Amino acid sequence: MNTYRIKIEHAEPGMILAEPVYLSMGMMISPGNTKLTDILIARMAEKDVQSVVVNSNVSLAHIAIDAEEKSKSASEPAGAPENKPAPKPSDAPANISPDAPPCAILDKKLKEEAVAGVKELFSCFSCEVVNKTTAYKCVRNIESVVQDLIEVISADPDSLVHINDLKSYDDYTYHHSLSVSLLAMATGRKLGMSDDELFRLGRCAMMHDIGKSAVSSDIINKKGLLTDDERRAVQEHPVLGAALLKDNDVGDEELWHSIRHHHEKVDGTGYPDKLKGDEIPLFCKIIAVADVYDALTSFRSYRDPNLPDDAYDRIFEDRDKFFDCKVLQALFDKLVFYPNGTVVQLSDNRSATVIDGGTSQRRRPVIRINDSGEIIRLVDNPNLKIVAIEATSENPEKNQ
């Protein structure tokens, strides 16, 4: 299938976007694999989108801005069979391009700015003497990123989110802060929060682990199980984080409490203060679920990640005990576990690509077998399941 970049005035209803469309501040106005409509085209034009990349079975070279500029990610995978049988049109979900890569929730620039901002914040508070002017600037940078994330979350209130492209093995703590913030804000939006509430929630979530800057990096990055003393040291990070900000006149009571209490559990078995039920602020309940979900699905020095639906099962088992059920449901209502384009390994050792992961069967998506083109609806095949997400350019460690 050919891909062409065309001017927005040449876009027509029915064309399929080969790439997501972003605005200048990093907000995604439309994901890839989306069929253009008159309304969507008008909205892009109104937002001053100049061009889009579309799929086409016929040549659009006469209107392409650059007929040579084809989306690398939408091209046929290296080594794919030349005579791969095409799936029957009736079997393939409508409006899905089976060769498109997973759609990034954030554009590269915004992601890099966010991670750099968190890294700078941690560096600032790692110093024996914190420079309050630098700390103030770091927090302002974080708040600027949070404002951009509100635009992403609010672009389509009904859209699902994923954090697959925000994973990183090397800079886990910084990417984790971004993922937790995005998940928390998506949850808050589902719960009906205003933009002001989302801003305050995202700000707290982005800085929830700042106390780890005061914990030995040898402990934070240790491979294998922690000793009891090491575990106690890690469990001090909520208290340390709140104190770091408060002692340096950074933030407010809401921020300090959110950092201090994000490891509390509704049954009172959390830490540091063993709060329970309604004693725990709502922001903390939201950050707690987002924190655990991202941690379970991330690479760590001591274990491989859980699959998204396995993480769901583990968290769901602890409903009513550790988490607020309303918050838990709101988060999972906003998640897509296997976004379109995700390459997965199946229980029969075949490799497949997710071509419809946003349906009501998000845990059992529609897939395309990579070497045959066969379309399979996992919901109709109970003996076949996803056992691994295969390596991507962002996460080569998945093969290690």
Side-chain angles (χ1 to χ4, degrees), residues 63-85:
I63 59 173
I65 293 176
D66 183 355
E68 298 299 322
E69 182 186 350
K70 298 188 176 182
S71 172
K72 294 179 181 178
S73 58
S75 61
E76 193 67 25
E82 292 184 5
N83 297 317
K84 180 178 64 177

Side-chain angles (χ1 to χ4, degrees), residues 286-302:
I286 295 173
I287 294 170
V289 176
D291 181 33
V292 172
Y293 178 78
D294 182 67
L296 287 175
T297 56
S298 295
F299 283 90
R300 304 304 303 274
S301 58
Y302 49 86

Side-chain angles (χ1 to χ4, degrees), residues 10-24:
H10 292 143
E12 298 178 358
M15 290 181 174
I16 306 297
L17 290 174
E19 296 179 357
V21 179
Y22 294 97
L23 302 183
S24 58

Side-chain angles (χ1 to χ4, degrees), residues 44-330:
M44 290 179 180
E46 180 183 348
K47 297 293 186 180
D48 201 31
V49 173
Q50 301 296 312
S51 64
V52 293
V53 179
V54 297
N55 291 323
S56 179
N57 288 320
V58 297
S59 176
L60 296 176
H62 61 293
I63 59 173
I65 293 176
D66 183 355
E68 298 299 322
E69 182 186 350
K70 298 188 176 182
S71 172
K72 294 179 181 178
S73 58
S75 61
E76 193 67 25
E82 292 184 5
N83 297 317
K84 180 178 64 177
K88 297 178 181 179
S90 59
D91 292 336
N95 306 335
I96 299 296
S97 172
D99 294 314
C103 177
I105 190 70
L106 304 179
D107 75 345
K108 184 178 180 181
K109 181 180 179 182
L110 178 54
K111 175 184 171 182
E112 290 177 348
E113 287 177 354
V115 172
V118 176
K119 195 170 187 177
E120 185 178 17
L121 182 74
F122 271 69
S123 178
C124 174
F125 283 99
S126 296
C127 300
E128 290 187 13
V129 178
V130 176
N131 184 308
K132 292 187 178 182
T133 300
T134 301
Y136 179 84
K137 290 180 179 179
C138 289
V139 172
R140 295 289 81 78
N141 288 339
I142 292 294
E143 292 175 342
S144 177
V145 169
V146 170
Q147 289 285 12
D148 288 339
L149 293 182
I150 292 176
E151 295 291 335
V152 173
I153 294 298
S154 302
D156 183 355
D158 297 323
S159 65
L160 302 177
V161 299
H162 68 85
I163 50 174
N164 300 41
D165 61 308
L166 304 183
K167 301 293 187 183
S168 173
Y169 182 84
D170 294 327
D171 285 334
Y172 166 74
T173 297
Y174 312 125
H175 285 78
H176 174 67
S177 297
L178 173 58
S179 296
V180 171
S181 185
L182 183 67
L183 291 174
M185 293 170 73
T187 304
R189 179 60 85 195
K190 181 66 179 179
L191 291 172
M193 289 185 176
S194 66
D195 282 358
D196 177 65
E197 290 172 309
L198 286 185
F199 171 76
R200 287 155 39 212
L201 171 61
R203 175 176 180 252
C204 294
M206 193 77 79
M207 293 187 271
H208 77 283
D209 267 347
I210 186 61
K212 288 185 177 179
S213 64
V215 179
S216 169
S217 59
D218 290 338
I219 296 177
I220 297 295
N221 299 319
K222 180 181 177 179
K223 295 183 178 180
L225 297 176
L226 299 178
T227 66
D228 289 343
D229 287 342
E230 290 169 339
R231 185 175 296 103
R232 281 190 288 269
V234 171
Q235 290 182 346
E236 282 292 309
H237 80 271
V239 174
L240 295 173
L244 273 174
L245 297 186
K246 186 174 183 178
D247 292 347
N248 287 285
D249 302 318
V250 175
D252 49 38
E253 291 285 345
E254 183 177 66
L255 176 61
W256 304 332
H257 284 311
S258 295
I259 291 173
R260 182 181 177 93
H261 298 305
H262 73 273
H263 278 293
E264 304 286 0
K265 297 174 180 177
V266 295
D267 67 350
T269 61
Y271 59 88
D273 298 318
K274 298 190 180 301
L275 301 184
K276 63 173 59 175
D278 292 338
E279 295 175 345
I280 306 172
L282 178 58
F283 282 8
C284 301
K285 292 178 178 179
I286 295 173
I287 294 170
V289 176
D291 181 33
V292 172
Y293 178 78
D294 182 67
L296 287 175
T297 56
S298 295
F299 283 90
R300 304 304 303 274
S301 58
Y302 49 86
R303 62 154 173 80
D304 289 333
N306 288 263
L307 288 172
D309 54 321
D310 289 341
Y312 169 88
D313 286 337
R314 290 187 59 178
I315 295 174
F316 194 72
E317 287 175 0
D318 294 324
R319 68 191 185 282
D320 293 324
K321 182 179 179 182
F322 296 160
F323 306 109
D324 183 293
C325 286
K326 183 178 180 181
V327 169
L328 189 62
Q329 188 61 54

